[in-house]
Amino acid sequence: MYITLFIIIFLAIFFLLLFHFRKKRIIKKVCCMTRDEKCHFLNELVLPLGYCYDCSQDVFSSTPDAWQKKYGYGSIYDRMAPFFNMIFDCKPIYFDYDRKTWLIEFWKGQYGINTGSEIGVYHADRIISPSERSTTIFSAVDAEEYLNISMELFHKGTSLGTREKSHWWLTIFSMGHFANPEELSMKISIRFPDFEMRNAFMDALYLAGYNMDTMNLSLYYTDVSFTFVSSGTSCHLPKKIYRSYVQWKNKRFCRLYGFVTRPFFNTCDKLLYLYFYLPFIFRRMLRLKRFHRREMKRK
């Protein structure tokens, strides 16, 4: 019995020392890499997932050719998002233009351990009635239909990141940051190809209850600029309770992420440390992807 206990204690001490020295070696390895080497390596790792890492702002964003593009978007994704640890404010804006019904939607909130914001541009292949909108899966626009979009995300007045690009799905994700959706705001600017499309979008925006005062809205030729503060939506008590529970989990996972990666301060170093030391956690951390049809099939 004593021999068995001795062996167990010896093995426990051995593996503790092994992991300790392995951890020290990996920390040194990450520290010895140059900033450019680390950013390049991390981008190689996240590019197949549809994202790129911006070293200068320490945020992730989506790429124009992200694989998520082929799944389009529909209102069911927003309704199912809390079951995948995503709690956000969202506002879909539907309007008809060029013989199609378009959807431009804004999101801001907590995506697991990521605070983020998104702007998506989609359309149907025809004009659809208002009653069909909640059941239609809209397709992401093609490259020739991309809109020039700029976006800046704020948490309690502090900027988390800014992006500007011709895109179908512009995003900002700050990993390890926690925020409630109502604490976030987005400054948005969209350049439309002509006045007809701009006016159709503006009419839909007004119809959704927004105006110059509520969104600090301004127009300049075909550019529309505004601030997205709140979706103005409410939900029943059980849903509120579940959303609070999800946010409670998200906040604790953010703290756990910070604790595990505490030798480092920026996202690039933290993720490379996890990649070398705990690869299974690294894969988990990069689950930035939106809820989509493939995940529906898994459920």
Side-chain angles (χ1 to χ4, degrees):
M1 177 180 174
Y2 291 110
I3 294 175
T4 303
L5 183 61
F6 173 78
I7 292 173
I8 292 173
I9 294 173
F10 173 80
L11 289 175
I13 294 172
F14 172 78
F15 282 111
L16 283 173
L17 290 173
L18 182 65
F19 278 104
H20 173 76
F21 287 113
R22 180 171 175 264
K23 178 180 177 180
K24 292 292 185 182
R25 189 173 68 253
I26 290 171
I27 291 174
K28 183 178 179 180
K29 181 178 181 178
V30 174
C31 290
C32 288
M33 297 173 69
T34 67
R35 182 173 180 268
D36 289 342
E37 286 173 340
K38 287 185 282 191
C39 290
H40 179 73
F41 187 36
L42 182 57
N43 270 308
E44 284 186 337
L45 294 174
V46 302
L47 191 61
L49 303 175
Y51 297 94
C52 59
Y53 174 68
D54 185 342
C55 276
S56 63
Q57 300 187 76
D58 196 27
V59 296
F60 287 95
S61 188
S62 49
T63 59
D65 59 349
W67 60 266
Q68 293 91 333
K69 185 176 183 180
K70 66 180 179 181
Y71 291 99
Y73 211 77
S75 63
I76 188 173
Y77 298 173
D78 292 334
R79 295 194 297 270
M80 295 298 294
F83 297 104
F84 294 87
N85 297 326
M86 291 181 280
I87 303 297
F88 47 62
D89 282 336
C90 62
K91 191 63 184 179
I93 304 298
Y94 300 95
F95 61 96
D96 298 334
Y97 167 76
D98 192 27
R99 300 186 300 278
K100 302 170 187 174
T101 296
W102 290 65
L103 165 63
I104 297 181
E105 187 160 356
F106 323 117
W107 300 264
K108 61 178 178 68
Q110 194 68 24
Y111 301 75
I113 67 162
N114 306 278
T115 295
S117 59
E118 312 170 76
I119 302 173
V121 185
Y122 311 87
H123 64 57
D125 57 1
R126 59 182 175 85
I127 299 289
I128 63 172
S129 65
S131 62
E132 294 178 280
R133 292 172 179 174
S134 63
T135 57
T136 299
I137 302 298
F138 291 79
S139 300
V141 297
D142 295 325
E144 62 272 14
E145 299 171 309
Y146 288 176
L147 299 180
N148 188 276
I149 306 169
S150 68
M151 169 177 59
E152 187 169 9
L153 176 63
F154 295 88
H155 180 206
K156 295 182 178 179
T158 300
S159 178
L160 298 183
T162 181
R163 299 290 294 176
E164 181 175 1
K165 197 172 183 67
S166 180
H167 220 300
W168 66 274
W169 177 42
L170 192 66
T171 64
I172 295 172
F173 294 106
S174 178
M175 185 169 284
H177 192 101
F178 178 82
N180 291 304
E182 61 271 16
E183 299 169 344
L184 301 171
S185 62
M186 296 166 61
K187 284 187 177 179
I188 300 169
S189 181
I190 304 174
R191 177 169 296 168
F192 293 95
D194 53 48
F195 284 101
E196 182 184 355
M197 188 176 189
R198 188 208 72 173
N199 292 340
F201 173 79
M202 288 298 303
D203 290 342
L205 204 61
Y206 290 138
L207 194 61
Y210 292 109
N211 54 51
M212 293 285 187
D213 296 326
T214 58
M215 298 189 82
N216 295 320
L217 196 149
S218 64
L219 305 177
Y220 181 76
Y221 290 97
T222 59
D223 291 6
V224 178
S225 301
F226 53 94
T227 302
F228 178 46
V229 178
S230 175
S231 62
T233 58
S234 60
C235 55
H236 52 78
L237 185 59
K239 187 175 180 180
K240 285 182 179 179
I241 294 172
Y242 185 74
R243 284 169 62 96
S244 297
Y245 165 68
V246 172
Q247 282 293 76
W248 177 84
K249 288 197 303 179
N250 288 338
K251 190 171 186 178
R252 271 138 192 84
F253 280 128
C254 282
R255 289 177 177 174
L256 179 61
Y257 166 74
F259 176 78
V260 172
T261 60
R262 63 191 181 282
F264 299 102
F265 298 98
N266 66 67
T267 302
C268 187
D269 289 346
K270 288 173 180 282
L271 287 180
L272 291 182
Y273 167 69
L274 289 176
Y275 174 77
F276 293 122
Y277 186 51
L278 301 168
F280 65 96
I281 294 182
F282 170 82
R283 291 190 293 269
R284 180 75 179 179
M285 293 303 97
L286 289 176
R287 290 185 62 185
L288 293 168
K289 59 182 180 289
R290 298 291 310 280
F291 174 76
H292 53 69
R293 203 176 316 183
R294 188 165 71 183
E295 289 174 325
M296 284 179 63
K297 290 179 180 178
R298 286 176 181 171
K299 276 187 74 77

